[in-house]
Amino acid sequence: MTGSRVPDPSITNTQEAGVDEGGIVKVQGDTLVILRRGRLFTVSLAGGELRPIDSINAFPPGVSGRGDWYDEMLVTGNRVIVVGYSYDRGGTEINRFRLSPEGRLSFEDAYHLRSNDYYSSRNYASRLIGHRLIIYTPLDLDWDEDPLEILPGVRRWRGDNSEAPFQRIAGARQIYKPPPSQRERDIEIDTLHTVMDCDVAAPALDCSAIGVLGPESHTFYVSGSAVYLWTSDEWYDDDGDTEGVAAFMYRLPLDRRRPAAIRVRGAPVDQFSFREDLGDGLVNVVVRSEGDGDSMLGPEASEGSVALLRLPIREFGNGSREARLSFYRSLPKIDESEWSFRNRYVGDHLLYGGGEYDEERNGASLVVVPLDGGAVEEIELAHSVDRIELLGRDGLVVGGGSNTLGFTAIELDGRRPRIGDLFRLPEASEGESRSHAFFFNPETADGASGILGLPIARAVESNQDRLFGSAAAMLFLSRQNRRFAPAGELAADVRGVIDDGCQASCVDWYGNARPIFWRGRIFALLGYELVEGRLDGRTIHERRRVSFAPPPPPPAKDD
């Protein structure tokens, strides 16, 4: 159509196409928006330039921000949405900012949600589908309080010290719990899990909510059509030994039809344990015998046997039925000592494996499971399984071993999966573990050729580590006809690191480094630096760099 323009592809390594995830860098038009250490920054890429434009606190004016964490940022239209948690004021915050065509930022409004901290070492609390913000928050229950005071609520920040009352956005009919038919076992109900759906394009934030009562442990996943919430609770015998897990999976359609639930077994590890396949009418979930859910560092520790649940979506009901055992497929178990279980769906296959906490490993097993029921393969790798990503139709496993960082391609286009090319980077480790730290830019539809970026750790001085972190360089690997070759690194200039006078979010829990591929240009976000690379043949050279760091705070006055 005349006058229309195809939107730029996402610069975020998202799990689901069309479902953006709250992150630390987004692009709108030819402006990069960056969230770091309690501030928003904009950098212009227009006309081939690289120029800092503006910065603003990521919290409301008149607020110190101390004790607050601003972790996730999304952009839609001319609005920037920052999601954070305030220990000072209590509750999750949604702060909205206006982004001008010139890249200038201005505060618009702020809202508080009744919740506890949403942080997860792997998952993201927020998703954006169009202008619909989908956000998960938990709330610990105090049964001595007025029940109406625990219902999902929102209040607008008024710019003074007074606290406006919360406006309820869900009533009792929008709160669900395990059905009465499950009373044969005491299922702990100590948390209200809330999924909010907010129109962030509305003049005033317009939200609705659904709540689920259940135990603290949970895992949260958003597809293009529904939100899935899995809650689980271990129960014990008289000697205090674990007997099993009582679990429920809820499906909350995004078209606002009535939620449905089913009783299930085990616990998923993280959001990547899920994949909805609407064409087959299925939701796939990898489960283990024991798991702690999304909260805090829960995804890093899971134990026991492994199974793949392939559940027909039509089986969801009111939660009174249990998923039939025939829907589960038992899979090979990894060692009890395994730490940091990783799983990922790649095309028609499931890949999983694990690493070990604080131990050097020279190899590990990767399990490859065809989703159609074909034979399971166990592949021996030369390094641990610390990250699983997609290279088009193939998989990529990244992990450490023998003081190197290994990259192994898993080729999945044949009758049997096979190990592809292996690249080793000596004396290096991953700089960040979050999924957003990785990006693969394909040159061919099948991913056989392309270029990938991943932050790597280099030693920095102890006095700089507090300000910079461990991801001191961005590694780029070229893949040509399924063969890896080093394309080069873009490194941070740690000599220029200065005190930024940080007031909020002074630890980069969500990382500080990202590879960015945008309209044929390549960048490395490294702390407060944005470094642009130039691809000469198959080698990246630094073209230029810019610092968008805030000015240092004025020196303290003598008494």
Side-chain angles (χ1 to χ4, degrees):
M1 286 171 39
T2 303
S4 65
R5 182 173 68 86
V6 177
D8 286 320
S10 174
I11 64 169
T12 304
N13 181 29
T14 56
Q15 181 179 7
E16 294 281 345
V19 182
D20 201 7
E21 301 164 356
I24 64 170
V25 59
K26 302 293 178 182
V27 65
Q28 182 64 16
D30 49 19
T31 301
L32 282 179
V33 186
I34 302 164
L35 172 66
R36 183 160 196 243
R37 292 167 70 86
R39 291 183 174 101
L40 287 170
F41 304 87
T42 54
V43 177
S44 174
L45 307 178
E49 66 182 358
L50 187 62
R51 176 174 57 87
I53 306 172
D54 202 5
S55 66
I56 193 173
N57 287 335
F59 43 88
V63 171
S64 74
R66 297 191 183 279
D68 301 342
W69 299 95
Y70 299 96
D71 306 307
E72 302 183 15
M73 179 258 297
L74 295 148
V75 178
T76 178
N78 65 346
R79 278 192 171 96
V80 179
I81 301 99
V82 174
V83 178
Y85 186 80
S86 173
Y87 283 95
D88 182 41
R89 291 174 295 286
T92 296
E93 287 187 11
I94 299 177
N95 300 327
R96 298 197 301 178
F97 300 82
R98 290 282 186 172
L99 177 66
S100 76
E102 298 76 28
R104 298 290 174 182
L105 293 162
S106 59
F107 174 78
E108 183 176 8
D109 54 20
Y111 297 83
H112 293 173
L113 313 180
R114 185 183 279 139
S115 79
N116 296 119
D117 195 351
Y118 54 75
Y119 175 78
S120 167
S121 62
R122 296 191 190 177
N123 208 346
Y124 306 95
S126 61
R127 306 292 195 276
L128 189 67
I129 303 175
H131 54 79
R132 294 174 65 183
L133 175 68
I134 311 298
I135 185 165
Y136 165 83
T137 61
L139 180 67
D140 295 339
L141 298 179
D142 184 348
W143 295 108
D144 293 331
E145 293 182 0
D146 182 347
L148 296 179
E149 294 301 314
I150 69 168
L151 292 174
V154 175
R155 66 184 177 196
R156 186 167 182 167
W157 180 78
R158 302 198 305 186
D160 54 29
N161 293 325
S162 63
E163 291 187 354
F166 281 102
Q167 302 296 314
R168 288 195 295 273
I169 57 174
R173 291 181 178 273
Q174 285 77 50
I175 306 300
Y176 298 86
K177 60 179 175 55
S181 59
Q182 308 303 324
R183 289 174 180 168
E184 73 274 8
R185 194 174 288 122
D186 290 332
I187 298 174
E188 187 173 12
I189 295 179
D190 57 10
T191 303
L192 175 63
H193 304 277
T194 299
V195 176
M196 295 188 181
D197 184 343
C198 302
D199 181 357
V200 293
L205 194 67
D206 181 19
C207 298
S208 60
I210 290 174
V212 172
L213 292 169
E216 178 183 9
S217 180
H218 69 278
T219 307
F220 167 71
Y221 158 72
V222 183
S223 72
S225 67
V227 176
Y228 290 85
L229 178 66
W230 185 297
T231 65
S232 56
D233 181 32
E234 297 178 349
W235 73 86
Y236 303 85
D237 60 22
D238 293 338
D239 296 327
D241 296 324
T242 304
E243 285 191 351
V245 176
F248 291 85
M249 179 165 52
Y250 295 83
R251 186 176 191 270
L252 288 60
L254 292 176
D255 61 7
R256 294 187 171 93
R257 284 180 295 169
R258 183 177 178 81
I262 191 167
R263 184 175 165 185
V264 285
R265 299 189 179 194
V269 175
D270 56 24
Q271 71 272 26
F272 295 113
S273 301
F274 294 78
R275 190 175 80 178
E276 181 188 71
D277 289 331
L278 278 183
D280 297 329
L282 296 170
V283 57
N284 303 275
V285 191
V286 183
V287 295
R288 301 197 72 186
S289 301
E290 299 177 43
D292 290 332
D294 275 345
S295 292
M296 300 299 171
L297 297 176
E300 308 309 324
S302 62
E303 298 182 59
S305 57
V306 183
L308 174 62
L309 170 62
R310 285 174 57 81
L311 181 73
I313 293 174
R314 65 175 182 272
E315 292 290 318
F316 282 93
N318 65 1
S320 61
R321 290 187 305 170
E322 182 175 0
R324 284 178 274 173
L325 292 180
S326 59
F327 295 141
Y328 295 85
R329 182 184 184 186
S330 294
L331 298 176
K333 183 178 179 181
I334 60 176
D335 294 342
E336 287 287 352
S337 61
E338 295 289 3
W339 164 266
S340 194
F341 182 94
R342 299 285 172 172
N343 51 190
R344 197 70 184 265
Y345 298 93
V346 181
D348 297 327
H349 295 79
L350 163 70
L351 281 60
Y352 69 87
E356 284 199 33
Y357 177 67
D358 201 27
E359 291 186 18
E360 186 68 39
R361 298 199 63 191
N362 294 320
S365 294
L366 178 76
V367 182
V368 182
V369 183
L371 296 181
D372 63 4
V376 174
E377 301 279 349
E378 294 190 56
I379 297 175
E380 293 302 315
L381 303 177
H383 52 76
S384 62
V385 181
D386 299 327
R387 175 186 291 273
I388 305 176
E389 299 287 355
L390 280 64
L391 297 176
R393 298 174 188 170
D394 296 333
L396 172 71
V397 182
V398 182
S402 300
N403 198 31
T404 64
L405 184 62
F407 297 74
T408 299
I410 308 298
E411 298 182 4
L412 300 170
D413 60 345
R415 296 183 62 182
R416 295 179 61 181
R418 60 188 180 274
I419 291 181
D421 201 21
L422 166 65
F423 174 80
R424 296 177 190 262
L425 184 68
E427 298 183 358
S429 60
E430 276 200 76
E432 294 187 19
S433 62
R434 282 198 172 268
S435 59
H436 289 180
F438 172 89
F439 202 96
F440 176 63
N441 190 42
E443 296 175 4
T444 57
D446 61 359
S449 296
I451 188 167
L452 66 86
L454 182 71
I456 57 172
R458 299 293 193 197
V460 297
E461 297 295 331
S462 59
N463 63 333
Q464 297 169 337
D465 182 72
R466 174 177 64 87
L467 301 173
F468 187 80
S470 61
M474 190 69 62
L475 170 73
F476 292 94
L477 283 184
S478 173
R479 191 185 196 216
Q480 291 298 308
N481 298 316
R482 293 192 164 88
R483 300 288 294 180
F484 290 128
E489 297 179 19
L490 297 177
D493 182 4
V494 297
R495 297 169 300 176
V497 174
I498 60 173
D499 190 343
D500 59 1
C502 184
Q503 295 184 53
S505 300
C506 298
V507 176
D508 292 321
W509 294 110
Y510 281 56
N512 61 22
R514 299 288 185 268
I516 300 170
F517 298 87
W518 180 82
R519 298 184 188 176
R521 297 169 69 183
I522 300 174
F523 305 91
L525 173 64
L526 298 165
Y528 282 125
E529 285 187 299
L530 197 62
V531 186
E532 183 171 3
R534 181 183 67 251
L535 192 60
D536 294 331
R538 294 295 165 188
T539 304
I540 289 180
H541 300 283
E542 181 180 330
R543 182 182 180 190
R544 56 186 158 183
R545 68 177 59 215
V546 67
S547 171
F548 55 89
K557 294 182 179 180
D558 296 332
D559 294 334

